[in-house]
Amino acid sequence: MTTELTVLVVDDDFYVADLHRRQVEQLPGLRALPAVGTVAEVRRVLAERHVDLLLLDVHLPDGSGLDLLREVDVDAFVLSAASDATTVRRALRRGALGYLIKPFASGTLVDRLRAYQRYRNVLDERTAVDQEALERALRILHSGDAAKAASPSRSATEQAVLEQFGAEADADAADADTEVGAGAGAGAGAGAGAGVGPLELSAADVAARVGVSRATAQRYLAALAADGLVTMKLSYGTTGRPEHRYSRP
């Protein structure tokens, strides 16, 4: 899924709300709306526009964030200083996808937001979901992004494939495309890194960059797509035969 996800921060502490909003804004693929601090403001925003994720405090001036959870049909993480087990269980029972107890380390929210992006990527609304995909999405959501991305079990080749979609790959996309065109034919590298938006690569592009066979690159790309770390779309060329192209979500 490559569409931008919209996040609404709900906290009556202006400083905390702005801090969390800025953490959302630093992540590609997420867009933070202006933060709000009351239940009434949340209802107003939801009535006016689509929101994908709420970052919701429990204690608000005009009501409880937990009561709000029961009436809105929106994904939510609860971010609260309330640490009693009853409140935590109630939040989860009412549909919260996660619960972060304040104060938490600065990178914790960023990790959870990245995991949420991957969770949404696996549970893409455009595709049917089987039990394996559901279990994978739940593991991603609850283990967080950092554990998967930094997993020592990730092979060197798989890591090298994933790195082709990083910031450093965007910077030298033009040079790499020239090499791909020379080594794998003009069709293999056509369009990689071209235009505005996320860097898109085919299995042939990745194979030429990493130095592996196309079949090997395709196998690793399929595994990364299954984990929600890259997205796949079909590109129809002049021959009419679709090509799988991959990018970071």
Side-chain angles (χ1 to χ4, degrees), residues 176-192 202 204-205 208 238 243 245:
D177 289 343
T178 300
E179 295 173 5
V180 170
S202 68
D205 296 333
T238 56
E243 178 186 47
R245 300 196 69 81

Side-chain angles (χ1 to χ4, degrees), residues 64-80:
S64 167
L66 299 188
D67 290 339
L68 184 65
L69 270 178
R70 289 194 297 192
E71 68 176 79
V72 299
D73 185 23
V74 183
D75 289 344
F77 289 154
V78 172
L79 280 55
S80 175

Side-chain angles (χ1 to χ4, degrees), residues 51 60-61 81 85 90 117-118 136 149 152 177 180 191:
V51 174
L60 299 170
R90 183 175 295 126
Q117 288 178 287
R118 290 177 51 217
R136 185 166 62 248
D177 289 343
V180 170

Side-chain angles (χ1 to χ4, degrees), residues 35-239:
V36 298
T38 67
V39 170
E41 288 177 305
V42 176
R43 291 180 178 136
R44 174 184 57 78
V45 173
L46 294 180
E48 294 174 352
R49 63 172 306 136
H50 173 78
V51 174
D52 292 288
L53 178 67
L54 296 175
L55 301 183
L56 181 64
D57 197 3
V58 170
H59 301 297
L60 299 170
D62 58 343
S64 167
L66 299 188
D67 290 339
L68 184 65
L69 270 178
R70 289 194 297 192
E71 68 176 79
V72 299
D73 185 23
V74 183
D75 289 344
F77 289 154
V78 172
L79 280 55
S80 175
S83 59
D84 60 286
T86 299
T87 299
V88 174
R89 288 200 313 272
R90 183 175 295 126
L92 298 176
R93 189 165 60 244
R94 294 183 180 181
L97 295 179
Y99 195 111
L100 297 183
I101 299 173
K102 301 175 184 175
F104 43 80
S106 59
T108 301
L109 178 57
V110 172
D111 285 343
R112 291 297 173 181
L113 290 169
R114 286 175 174 154
Y116 177 73
Q117 288 178 287
R118 290 177 51 217
Y119 161 85
R120 285 290 301 267
N121 184 41
V122 173
L123 297 185
D124 190 329
E125 295 173 356
R126 296 167 296 181
T127 60
V129 177
D130 59 20
Q131 189 64 37
E132 182 182 353
L134 173 59
E135 297 294 339
R136 185 166 62 248
L138 292 174
R139 285 196 302 271
I140 289 169
L141 185 65
H142 294 299
S143 65
D145 182 76
K148 177 66 180 178
S151 172
S153 64
R154 187 176 299 286
S155 72
T157 302
E158 188 178 24
Q159 186 63 41
V161 169
L162 184 59
E163 287 173 355
Q164 301 313 305
F165 299 92
E168 68 279 7
D170 287 304
D172 63 6
D175 291 340
D177 289 343
T178 300
E179 295 173 5
V180 170
V196 178
L199 177 66
E200 292 185 359
L201 298 172
S202 68
D205 296 333
V206 172
R209 289 166 179 252
V210 177
V212 296
S213 70
R214 185 185 182 284
T216 297
Q218 183 68 62
R219 185 170 68 252
Y220 281 111
L221 286 166
L224 291 169
D227 282 333
L229 290 170
V230 300
T231 60
M232 184 275 289
K233 72 175 185 180
L234 292 177
S235 176
Y236 292 87
T238 56
T239 63

